[in-house]
Amino acid sequence: MINLGTSAGNETCGNIIIIARANICKTSFITGGDRNLKLWRINSKDQKLYGTDIKVGKIKRSINCAVIDENDENVYCGTTSGDIIKARLNIEESEEGTKYPVMIGCYSKIPTNKGARMRNANGLHIKVYPGGVKNLLLLKKDKLIVGTGDGTVELIEIREDSKLNANKTNKSLIIPAIVAYRTTNVCAMVTSMIRYQNNLVLVGTALCEIYEIELSSFQMRLIVTCHTSSIYDLAFPSNSSEIFATASKNDIRIWKLATQKELLRITVSNFTCSSICFNSNGGSIISAWNDGTIRGFALNGGKLLFEINCAHTKSVSTITITKDDDKLISGGCDGQVRIWNAKSELRHLLQVLKEHRGPITSLHVSPDNKSLISSSTDGTCILWDLRNFTRKFMLSGSTMYMATCFVPTGVQILTCGTDRKIAYWETLDGSLVREIEGSMAGTLNTISISHDGQYFLTGSEDSIVKLWEYRTASTIRLGLAHAAAVTRCVFAPNNKFIVTASADGAIMLWEYPFSESSITPIKDDTKQHTLEPASVPCPSKTDDMCEPNCK
């Protein structure tokens, strides 16, 4: 092991951001960065590093990436300016001191449109890659895959004998240039590329997506995707467990549960979707947005079906629909609950309920479609009569209620909030039946009960998902796989899976139900942090939640 160290830059250049090793010579590598490109040689005898600037003449470039060919003859460098530098390394000669690495040329494309304005030293119109050249993948001599800042991926060849016409003289010139053979676009900045199975290239983007490109046809296929910001809601159709939807900034995404693949993306640029629900037959998805608008989309193709503009004076924070698709109910950051006629083509307003003084955090319709429970950050939950639009009673607490739901029988209501407590309430008179500690550290953001009523889930700011037994109010499973606050947790309608989402854009799948013999109630909540998770982010295979065993 040799410890070597020396300064990679000098006073006239900026930071070094890339390093690339030689393929044959084990003691050489290059570095590049802001106005800097160097060939380095390791001398193991005197334990020193020797750096030689690659001569690029008067041009000044910032290097984003570099790739050395298989014979260590040439290096290709992508720049922030959108062109490609090719340099001859002369590694063997430079070690003997007879030759130095030198640039062969700085290459750009010749545009086909006449409106191009950039000109090179010969007076010819040139074309550079928008956003700069971010990645290069060398296929064979002078043939490369280029990944750019605007998402363009091209198969190119650097030609020394391209015949081009100068605009002023109309004479044919033979100059070096980039010739593009095939092109596609991955819709975001390319962050990485790798050759895969000889005929495939995997391309990673800044939007956390991975595309597969076939070299022979240059056909592109999206194979991995995920949200890049917080997920605010997650929902299943009431009659199907095959798909589920997630809501986030700019889009709604439909996922297939069996394969964990994205089936459909509905985009509304520059706005955030705060809540979603499916209609009873699962044919459309209804969404609430922070521009105060309610939008309905067809599940088949994502076509916009209807739009309720100015549904609330502020953001629409949550939305739900009755099980008979008769009434559409929305809650806003203005503290109002509004009820709409879901069957009319215009979705006209039926009633405005104004008793909350803070933003509405959740809405849930009773199993018999006769009642509605709404929670708010003002410390109240209100049970409404949906037949005459009146208040039945109000639940109050020293907390900001974040979520509430009916049990399947409709006889009780569960609530949770910033006081980290889970409360059981009677729907008959609003009396408090039971209150338990739901978390040791974080706010409880979400609560959901299973379709058989035996278990319920909570998700909190401390990134922990807990599975509770409803009858005994004891924790029987912990989910510790999330790295950010849990924003939503839902049981699949077929009672075989649990899906959870968090503020970092992660989606987790958990197997459910569990055998009774494997259930061990927690007696000491302080032991929870020592347990290891057994789940992985979507897309991947599912796994079990870990079982909390106390010592």
Side-chain angles (χ1 to χ4, degrees):
M1 181 73 178
I2 301 175
N3 294 320
L4 306 174
T6 187
S7 176
N10 53 51
E11 296 179 355
T12 62
C13 66
N15 295 330
I16 305 302
I17 61 173
I18 63 103
I19 185 169
R21 66 176 181 86
N23 295 304
I24 298 176
C25 182
K26 304 301 183 182
T27 59
S28 295
F29 62 93
I30 67 164
T31 59
D34 184 14
R35 293 165 294 165
N36 185 286
L37 188 59
K38 275 189 176 182
L39 172 66
W40 295 87
R41 181 172 56 88
I42 301 173
N43 191 323
S44 57
K45 293 182 180 179
D46 55 10
Q47 297 188 9
K48 287 185 179 180
L49 275 172
Y50 296 96
T52 305
D53 288 316
I54 298 177
K55 297 181 179 181
V56 295
K58 294 183 179 181
I59 70 168
K60 295 180 179 180
R61 293 289 188 273
S62 293
I63 307 300
N64 285 329
C65 57
V67 58
I68 300 175
D69 65 19
E70 57 184 5
N71 297 320
D72 291 346
E73 294 178 356
N74 302 311
V75 61
Y76 302 86
C77 304
T79 71
T80 56
S81 305
D83 45 23
I84 298 173
I85 291 176
K86 179 182 178 182
R88 184 177 291 111
L89 293 177
N90 296 321
I91 290 180
E92 295 180 359
E93 288 81 358
S94 62
E95 290 180 356
E96 298 172 359
T98 57
K99 286 188 179 180
Y100 294 96
V102 62
M103 182 184 74
I104 298 175
C106 186
Y107 301 89
S108 55
K109 296 195 298 182
I110 306 300
T112 56
N113 60 315
K114 298 181 179 179
R117 297 180 179 179
M118 293 188 63
R119 294 175 180 268
N120 65 2
N122 296 323
L124 294 174
H125 291 298
I126 62 173
K127 182 180 180 181
V128 295
Y129 290 104
V133 178
K134 298 296 183 180
N135 280 95
L136 290 172
L137 183 63
L138 185 62
L139 300 181
K140 56 183 180 180
K141 186 175 179 62
D142 286 337
K143 279 196 175 181
L144 302 104
I145 301 288
V146 179
T148 70
D150 71 338
T152 299
V153 179
E154 280 193 341
L155 172 62
I156 67 164
E157 182 181 6
I158 294 179
R159 298 283 296 274
E160 305 291 342
D161 57 350
S162 300
K163 293 185 177 181
L164 304 166
N165 293 324
N167 291 338
K168 293 182 179 180
T169 61
N170 290 325
K171 293 182 179 180
S172 180
L173 300 177
I174 298 178
I175 64 171
I178 292 174
V179 178
Y181 294 110
R182 296 181 183 274
T183 184
T184 187
N185 196 291
V186 294
C187 305
M189 183 180 72
V190 177
T191 56
S192 59
M193 295 190 300
I194 188 171
R195 189 81 174 267
Y196 176 67
Q197 291 183 352
N198 195 33
N199 192 42
L200 299 174
V201 174
L202 299 182
V203 180
T205 75
L207 293 181
C208 303
E209 295 176 334
I210 299 177
Y211 290 85
E212 180 186 85
I213 299 177
E214 189 176 356
L215 287 177
S216 57
S217 62
F218 231 63
Q219 290 184 346
M220 180 179 68
R221 184 170 68 94
L222 179 64
I223 58 174
V224 174
T225 183
C226 66
H227 286 283
T228 57
S229 59
S230 177
I231 298 174
Y232 298 102
D233 200 6
L234 187 153
F236 277 92
S238 60
N239 57 356
S240 174
S241 298
E242 294 182 0
I243 62 169
F244 65 93
T246 52
S248 185
K249 184 179 180 181
N250 296 325
D251 57 38
I252 300 167
R253 302 192 188 194
I254 312 298
W255 307 83
K256 188 172 182 179
L257 184 65
T259 60
Q260 296 91 56
K261 299 295 183 182
E262 181 182 315
L263 299 178
L264 176 66
R265 187 181 304 182
I266 302 169
T267 302
V268 181
S269 300
N270 303 319
F271 295 115
T272 298
C273 182
S274 55
S275 181
I276 50 176
C277 67
F278 289 88
N279 65 350
S280 61
N281 62 13
S284 64
I285 186 167
I286 304 166
S287 56
W289 298 80
N290 67 340
D291 62 343
T293 302
I294 298 172
R295 295 178 173 92
F297 300 94
L299 197 58
N300 185 11
K303 179 183 177 182
L304 180 66
L305 298 177
F306 69 88
E307 193 172 44
I308 306 175
N309 294 307
C310 301
H312 287 262
T313 56
K314 295 182 180 180
S315 300
V316 186
S317 55
T318 182
I319 198 162
T320 190
I321 192 169
T322 56
K323 295 174 178 60
D324 57 1
D325 286 344
D326 184 52
K327 298 179 181 68
L328 178 64
I329 307 162
S330 63
C333 290
D334 52 8
Q336 296 182 6
V337 176
R338 297 192 174 190
I339 302 173
W340 311 80
N341 188 338
K343 290 188 176 180
S344 67
E345 185 176 349
L346 296 177
R347 273 82 181 177
H348 63 269
L349 183 65
L350 297 176
Q351 189 69 29
V352 179
L353 309 176
K354 298 182 177 180
E355 298 203 25
H356 285 293
R357 296 184 178 181
I360 309 300
T361 54
S362 71
L363 297 168
H364 195 230
V365 178
S366 64
D368 59 4
N369 280 337
K370 296 179 180 179
S371 301
L372 169 75
I373 185 70
S374 60
S375 63
S376 174
T377 58
D378 63 359
T380 63
C381 293
I382 298 178
L383 185 68
W384 307 92
D385 191 330
L386 286 179
R387 293 168 294 184
N388 52 23
F389 308 125
T390 58
R391 185 185 77 176
K392 290 185 177 181
F393 53 77
M394 179 184 293
L395 312 176
S396 299
S398 299
T399 180
M400 290 190 290
Y401 287 109
M402 303 306 294
T404 182
C405 67
F406 285 96
V407 299
T409 58
V411 298
Q412 286 187 340
I413 297 167
L414 299 178
T415 62
C416 65
T418 56
D419 62 352
R420 308 188 302 276
K421 293 180 179 179
I422 303 167
Y424 292 51
W425 308 82
E426 290 285 352
T427 55
L428 181 62
D429 56 3
S431 59
L432 180 63
V433 178
R434 174 185 284 171
E435 193 173 54
I436 57 175
E437 193 77 23
S439 173
M440 295 296 292
T443 297
L444 295 176
N445 294 325
T446 178
I447 190 167
S448 177
I449 194 162
S450 62
H451 302 281
D452 56 12
Q454 295 186 36
Y455 306 102
F456 67 91
L457 287 164
T458 58
S460 57
E461 287 285 335
D462 57 8
S463 309
I464 298 177
V465 180
K466 291 185 179 181
L467 179 68
W468 303 76
E469 189 176 24
Y470 171 72
R471 183 179 57 85
T472 61
S474 58
T475 308
I476 57 173
R477 286 290 188 279
L478 297 178
L480 308 178
H482 282 288
V486 179
T487 57
R488 197 76 172 93
C489 52
V490 177
F491 289 90
N494 62 4
N495 272 340
K496 291 184 178 180
F497 291 97
I498 291 168
V499 185
T500 60
S502 59
D504 60 352
I507 303 171
M508 302 284 176
L509 303 182
W510 315 83
E511 285 184 352
Y512 174 84
F514 308 104
S515 61
E516 293 295 330
S517 60
S518 67
I519 295 176
T520 304
I522 285 184
K523 296 180 181 179
D524 184 0
D525 198 38
T526 61
K527 309 278 184 171
Q528 294 177 5
H529 66 280
T530 63
L531 301 171
E532 294 296 328
S535 67
V536 292
C538 175
S540 182
K541 62 181 181 180
T542 60
D543 210 334
D544 292 339
M545 285 186 177
C546 57
E547 179 179 346
N549 298 316
C550 61
K551 297 180 181 178

